Amino acid sequence: MKKVPLLARIIIAIILGIVIGLVVPEGAIELFATFTGLFDNFLGFVIPLIIIGFIAPGIASIGKGAGKMLGLTAGLAYLSTVLAGVAAYLAASNLYPAILNTQDSNEMSNPEESLVEASFTVEMTPMIDVMAALIFSFIIGVGMTVVKGNTLYKTMDEFRSIIYKVIEKIIIPLLPFHIFGIFANMSYAGQVATILSVFAKVFVMIIILHLIYLVSVYGVAGAMHRANPFYLLKKMTPAYFTALGTQSSAATIPVTLKHTKQIGVRERVADFAVPLLANVHLAGSTITITSCAMAVMYMQGQATSFMDVFPFILMLGVTMVAAPGVPGGAVMAAVGLLESMLGFSSVMVSLMIALYLAQDSFGTATNVTGDGALTTIANRLAGKKANLDTVQKKKFG
């Protein structure tokens, strides 16, 4: 039997949590709360290891074989990711007061205040805090790009494989149970209607932002080549729908590569840029994470300014580099930043994960489709003219 997709498991967990939370006694809710508490502590222990395991070798792998095209492509990816996050912040800060204003102020209060507490907890103190893990990862990652030899890189790459297995075999399988426990607790506390209302409105806004981003980035690519951006975007739709189904940028690379070449990018440029962008370009995921984080903070009545969120976006663009190729990898890599930079509690993190995973595939599809536009832009900026015979037939005007 084919394995049930993570999104389906998350949806089932939310529905079951809501229903069961309405009918079971407090003792059962306390049991669920105990599990979620233990899972939270384990997640907190693993997060610094995830940061070290993925960011350090990720930076090192980008740096190997450095050159003009590498710097140009990685720079475009980071700029696109940061601008996408800023756009998401501006949209959320201006729209949330309007689209989420139907909730009563009491309903939007901190959900932790009325949740049933765990019967016991087990402390799992992280070996290193999040910020120290980030700094350590940057030092080691950059160091591996300038020091000759591959011994440390191979060690870090093997460490990444171990952390990947922890995520793939432990965290991701247990995540639906964790979300089930959170929603059962919130349902028992009478808060779930508000949460679901927020989910629906945020989901719609995020999808619209994804579409606006794609039209914008293909508008730039089309203008640089005097080609119709909607024609270019149409040629990349197979990559979008492949990513929508696989929820993996890496799994979609062959499709992205094929259709990027079809829109006129030279083969050697596409062969280099597309696999790189699959790991470092996460504009769609950044839109999603920023929008969801803003929604969760709004639910807590937590005031945020641009200068509170902008450093988070800047760090997010780096932290998600080489995020694990599993569904939800980007948000797992971002949890440490949510806690250290935005002050997220364990319940806020759980809500954030549920919000993110509900539309993870759309963020991945946006990342992948945007890769085609950035590859086209990089191809022109690098001084190489694309083979645009087919594209030129669909010029502006």
Side-chain angles (χ1 to χ4, degrees):
M1 178 182 288
K2 189 177 179 180
K3 188 177 180 180
V4 179
L6 178 61
L7 176 58
R9 284 180 280 156
I10 294 296
I11 293 173
I12 292 171
I14 291 173
I15 294 173
L16 288 178
I18 293 169
V19 174
I20 291 177
L22 294 172
V23 298
V24 299
E26 183 174 338
I29 300 297
E30 186 176 322
L31 180 64
F32 302 150
T34 301
F35 171 79
T36 59
L38 293 173
F39 185 87
D40 278 333
N41 289 344
F42 177 72
L43 190 60
F45 179 85
V46 173
I47 289 303
L49 303 181
I50 292 176
I51 290 171
I52 295 171
F54 284 97
I55 294 180
I59 292 174
S61 63
I62 293 172
K64 291 182 181 296
K68 179 181 177 181
M69 197 63 191
L70 169 68
L72 177 61
T73 306
L76 282 172
Y78 185 71
L79 178 63
S80 172
T81 299
V82 169
L83 290 177
V86 171
Y89 167 81
L90 293 175
S93 60
N94 286 283
L95 294 178
Y96 283 171
I99 66 176
L100 302 181
N101 67 350
T102 55
Q103 277 76 27
D104 181 83
S105 59
N106 292 328
E107 293 177 348
M108 300 296 287
S109 60
N110 190 338
E112 289 183 281
E113 294 177 356
S114 56
L115 295 182
V116 175
E117 295 183 356
S119 56
F120 69 92
T121 185
V122 176
E123 292 297 328
M124 305 179 196
T125 306
M127 292 184 290
I128 182 173
D129 66 37
V130 169
M131 193 54 63
L134 284 168
I135 296 171
F136 178 78
S137 299
F138 295 153
I139 293 173
I140 296 297
V142 173
M144 286 189 288
T145 67
V146 297
V147 175
K148 293 182 179 180
N150 291 317
T151 302
L152 182 57
Y153 179 77
K154 290 179 180 179
T155 300
M156 294 303 298
D157 194 47
E158 290 182 1
F159 180 64
R160 173 168 57 181
S161 298
I162 294 172
I163 299 302
Y164 180 95
K165 290 297 182 182
V166 171
I167 294 173
E168 184 183 38
K169 302 299 184 181
I170 301 176
I171 294 178
I172 294 299
L174 291 179
L175 205 51
F177 297 98
H178 177 61
I179 291 173
F180 162 81
I182 289 292
F183 273 83
N185 207 335
M186 289 190 299
S187 179
Y188 181 82
Q191 300 171 345
V192 76
T194 300
I195 302 298
L196 291 181
S197 175
V198 170
F199 269 40
K201 294 171 183 176
V202 172
F203 183 93
V204 171
M205 190 194 79
I206 288 172
I207 299 302
I208 293 173
L209 286 176
H210 284 166
L211 295 177
I212 292 173
Y213 164 78
L214 289 175
V215 171
S216 299
V217 73
Y218 274 93
V220 174
M224 293 181 70
H225 290 291
R226 301 184 63 192
N228 188 330
F230 294 102
Y231 172 75
L232 301 179
L233 190 52
K234 180 182 177 182
K235 294 289 287 185
M236 292 299 299
T237 52
Y240 182 92
F241 287 104
T242 300
L244 202 63
T246 63
Q247 293 183 286
S248 171
S249 298
T252 314
I253 285 175
V255 180
T256 311
L257 199 56
K258 174 183 176 181
H259 291 276
T260 300
K261 293 175 182 178
Q262 286 184 359
I263 63 176
V265 177
R266 286 193 175 189
E267 184 171 346
R268 60 179 179 175
V269 176
D271 287 344
F272 172 83
V274 169
L276 174 63
L277 290 170
N279 280 318
V280 302
H281 182 229
L282 295 114
S285 298
T286 300
I287 288 172
T288 303
I289 289 176
T290 304
S291 301
C292 292
M294 292 287 291
V296 172
M297 288 188 289
Y298 186 85
M299 290 168 61
Q300 312 303 302
Q302 183 175 330
T304 54
S305 67
F306 178 72
M307 292 313 299
D308 292 327
V309 179
F310 186 58
F312 168 76
I313 295 172
L314 293 177
M315 292 296 293
L316 195 61
V318 177
T319 303
M320 292 192 300
V321 167
V326 295
V331 74
M332 297 307 301
V335 167
L337 294 180
L338 291 168
E339 293 176 335
S340 63
M341 300 186 73
L342 297 182
F344 272 41
S345 66
S346 59
V347 171
M348 292 172 74
V349 167
S350 300
L351 289 174
M352 176 72 191
I353 292 173
L355 267 170
Y356 179 87
L357 291 179
Q359 58 73 71
D360 179 31
S361 57
F362 290 94
T364 302
T366 301
N367 296 338
V368 165
T369 309
D371 291 350
L374 291 193
T375 303
T376 305
I377 294 171
N379 188 71
R380 174 52 61 94
L381 293 178
K384 301 177 176 65
K385 293 185 178 180
N387 301 319
L388 295 176
D389 293 338
T390 58
V391 177
Q392 294 292 348
K393 297 177 183 178
K394 300 290 183 177
K395 288 181 180 179
F396 287 118

